[in-house]
Amino acid sequence: MIDASPPSTFRLWLAGARPQTLALSLTPIAVGAAYAQAVFHRLAPIPVIAAVVSAVAIQIATNLANDSADGGRGADDSERLGPRRLAGAGLMPVERVRRGALVASLIAAAAGLVIVAWGGLPIVVIGLAALVCAWAYSYGPAPIAASPLSEIFVVLFFGVAAVSGTVWIAADAIDATCILLGVAIGLPAAAVLTINNHRDRAQDAKNGRRTLAILLGARGAILLYGCELAGAALITGYALLPLTQGAVLVALVGCGAAVARALRVARIPISRALNAELGATVRFQIGLAAAIVALLLSLSR
């Protein structure tokens, strides 16, 4: 017998938080913590735990703000190819979803206060910028999500700032290698956005958006996707090669996986079938992060 009862409030909030995207916030922290331990031999646990809470809260705030903004504009109509949204599908009022984003932002700020106690002014700057961009991504006169710059913001905040910031609070240090690793981890996160925008190109164009996927065209977007994943593997290899020769294997396997992913996406028509590729791209990032962490931990043995 099929349960036709409406989903509970908890399940609605869980769906709105988009838990499948939360790995994008956690992997850079794992890489940063492993780098701090392996290279600087220091790892302060309290600020790292606070960073996990703050990063997840910012990710949820971004997701809910995007949900409420697009739902309020009527951008998520019945033609939407992506997963169902709370506001757009009429499952929850726009204002309630927006308040949820505000609560998540406040949680991120509260956890950020703990991080600031260890990281000082640099963390204040990163934290405030992250919160502002979480809302500017979907709101304001020129939302980042509607522009060709969104992939750059993802690399900066879900890669460089997250990895480098974690190293800073964990070990009170920073260097060029951890910044490169931030770029490497940020590129697959940007690739998730590229697939998302590639799938939504028709609806986005109708709503006046000018995403990079629209500007590059369908073939160009797929090429960009492959370059983002391959670039992540190559940058990882370049960054870690001075520390371990295992970086060569990570780069080669990663590039092979990137080509296979791009070829698969190229064969899929623009449809709901692309939704599965979002999760596959997240798994690529998780695999790359796991390889980086394994290599770094092997250095400290």
Side-chain angles (χ1 to χ4, degrees):
M1 182 176 179
I2 298 175
D3 184 6
S5 60
S8 65
T9 301
F10 173 77
R11 289 178 62 186
L12 285 177
W13 282 119
L14 185 62
R18 302 181 217 169
Q20 67 274 17
T21 68
L22 299 184
L24 302 177
S25 299
L26 298 176
T27 47
I29 295 176
V31 168
Y35 189 82
Q37 177 62 44
V39 176
F40 299 112
H41 309 293
R42 296 194 298 274
L43 182 61
I46 293 177
V48 172
I49 293 171
V52 169
V53 174
S54 183
V56 169
I58 288 176
Q59 175 75 64
I60 292 174
T62 303
N63 291 342
L64 292 176
N66 183 247
D67 189 315
S68 63
D70 286 353
R73 297 189 190 101
D76 289 336
D77 55 25
S78 59
E79 297 179 4
R80 174 175 168 77
L81 299 178
R84 189 170 57 169
R85 299 280 187 85
L86 298 181
L91 298 173
M92 195 174 286
V94 170
E95 187 56 39
R96 190 178 183 190
V97 178
R98 189 182 295 116
R99 287 198 300 270
L102 178 59
V103 169
S105 298
L106 292 175
I107 293 172
L113 293 177
V114 177
I115 306 170
V116 167
W118 266 263
L121 183 59
I123 299 302
V124 174
V125 174
I126 292 174
L128 288 177
L131 282 173
V132 169
C133 287
W135 287 88
Y137 185 79
S138 302
Y139 281 97
I144 297 170
S147 77
L149 301 176
S150 51
E151 277 89 349
I152 294 175
F153 276 84
V154 168
V155 173
L156 288 177
F157 284 98
F158 288 88
V160 176
V163 173
S164 301
T166 300
V167 174
W168 179 259
I169 61 174
D172 194 25
I174 197 168
D175 62 13
T177 300
C178 73
I179 294 174
L180 282 174
L181 290 177
V183 175
I185 285 297
L187 282 170
V192 172
L193 181 60
T194 298
I195 284 290
N196 185 82
N197 291 343
H198 172 59
R199 180 202 63 207
D200 293 342
R201 60 176 55 255
Q203 190 175 32
D204 284 348
K206 183 179 71 175
N207 292 320
R209 294 188 172 194
R210 291 178 56 80
T211 63
L212 198 53
I214 292 174
L215 296 180
L216 293 176
R219 290 185 179 180
I222 294 170
L223 178 60
L224 172 64
Y225 173 75
C227 288
E228 287 167 333
L229 297 185
L234 291 173
I235 292 172
T236 296
Y238 176 77
L240 293 181
L241 186 57
L243 300 176
T244 171
Q245 292 185 343
V248 175
L249 180 61
V250 172
L252 291 176
V253 173
C255 281
V259 171
R261 292 256 77 257
L263 290 176
R264 174 176 172 77
V265 169
R267 293 193 294 268
I268 299 175
I270 297 174
S271 63
R272 289 185 173 86
L274 286 169
N275 290 333
E277 303 311 304
L278 297 174
T281 307
V282 172
R283 290 192 293 274
F284 178 96
Q285 191 210 42
I286 293 173
L288 180 64
I292 294 172
V293 169
L295 287 177
L296 290 172
L297 293 182
S298 69
L299 299 176
S300 57
R301 290 176 183 172

